[in-house]
Amino acid sequence: MNMLRRIAIVGVLGVALLASGCATAKVDFTSIKCPPRAAELDAYSVFVGDWNWKAELVNAEDADKQWTGTASWKWILDNRCLHGEMSAKSANAGFNAAGIWSWHPKAKKYIWWMFNNWGYPQQGTAKYNEQEKCWKMPFTSVGLDGTTSYGLYTLNVVGKNSIDWTLQEWADAMHMVLKMEMKGTYTRK
């Protein structure tokens, strides 16, 4: 009987502790404040505006070597995210894309996502070298061929109105099987 009584008491105490731990605390929004905007976001300002671009797909068939398009980037969400829209076309293919670039306040790194109208996503991080005015943006995506891709964008800010860029995309995370390589330039409209 003593054993049953102890089990019952421990059970009741356990339920009481669990029940009190499951109670939702009240949120006091007077103590929650929007943090200041991260200064790192200012590095994205170079992209704001409307752009034309041209590129060469190095390893394409002749008709699809040349690509052209437009891009438009603007600040949203209190200048904490850069929202962009892009179009791209060659002789036999084309797509539109939209994306968000931002700064992760806890991880302390640049993050970005792009989605295209084929239903394929890209997501990655970015590193900015302020002295060289160069962005390195590794990513994982679904490539235009519908398979998983591992890529790297490199963007070199040539001046206020020009950005040279390269794209390399591999079939494997070890970057041993190159799927495609592009070289191009963005020119401000």
Side-chain angles (χ1 to χ4, degrees):
M1 180 81 166
N2 238 354
M3 182 62 112
L4 286 175
R5 188 172 180 205
R6 286 184 189 163
I7 292 173
I9 291 171
V10 168
V12 167
L13 287 174
V15 168
L17 285 173
L18 286 174
S20 68
C22 293
T24 304
K26 294 200 184 258
V27 178
D28 178 8
F29 277 97
T30 62
S31 66
I32 298 174
K33 303 288 183 209
C34 181
R37 181 180 181 272
E40 289 84 357
L41 288 165
D42 291 339
Y44 281 143
S45 292
V46 68
F47 299 109
V48 174
D50 297 318
W51 302 82
N52 289 317
W53 63 270
K54 293 182 191 179
E56 177 186 5
L57 181 53
V58 176
N59 58 329
E61 297 295 325
D62 287 340
D64 290 306
K65 275 195 177 288
Q66 300 304 313
W67 284 72
T68 60
T70 61
S72 180
W73 291 94
K74 65 181 179 180
W75 287 112
I76 61 170
L77 302 175
D78 297 329
N79 292 348
R80 292 169 191 258
C81 293
L82 195 62
H83 175 260
E85 293 188 18
M86 185 178 107
S87 69
K89 67 179 178 176
S90 70
N92 295 305
F95 65 89
N96 294 314
I100 298 282
W101 297 3
S102 193
W103 173 257
H104 193 297
K106 296 294 183 185
K108 303 291 187 208
K109 62 183 175 183
Y110 293 100
I111 53 175
W112 61 277
W113 302 269
M114 295 288 291
F115 302 89
N116 68 33
N117 64 329
W118 292 22
Y120 297 159
Q122 284 184 335
Q123 63 182 14
T125 59
K127 290 189 178 178
Y128 180 58
N129 182 321
E130 188 173 0
Q131 287 181 317
E132 296 179 13
K133 305 288 187 221
C134 180
W135 289 89
K136 298 278 187 180
M137 303 174 73
F139 65 88
T140 303
S141 72
V142 176
L144 292 179
D145 64 358
T147 65
T148 300
S149 294
Y150 303 88
L152 175 65
Y153 286 107
T154 302
L155 297 104
N156 292 299
V157 179
V158 178
K160 180 181 172 184
N161 298 317
S162 184
I163 300 171
D164 289 339
W165 60 275
T166 61
L167 162 64
Q168 294 171 301
E169 199 170 295
W170 296 271
D172 63 307
M174 300 298 293
H175 298 180
M176 304 206 35
V177 179
L178 185 66
K179 289 171 70 172
M180 66 180 230
E181 181 176 9
M182 289 184 96
K183 296 178 182 185
T185 301
Y186 283 94
T187 305
R188 192 177 298 278
K189 288 184 181 182

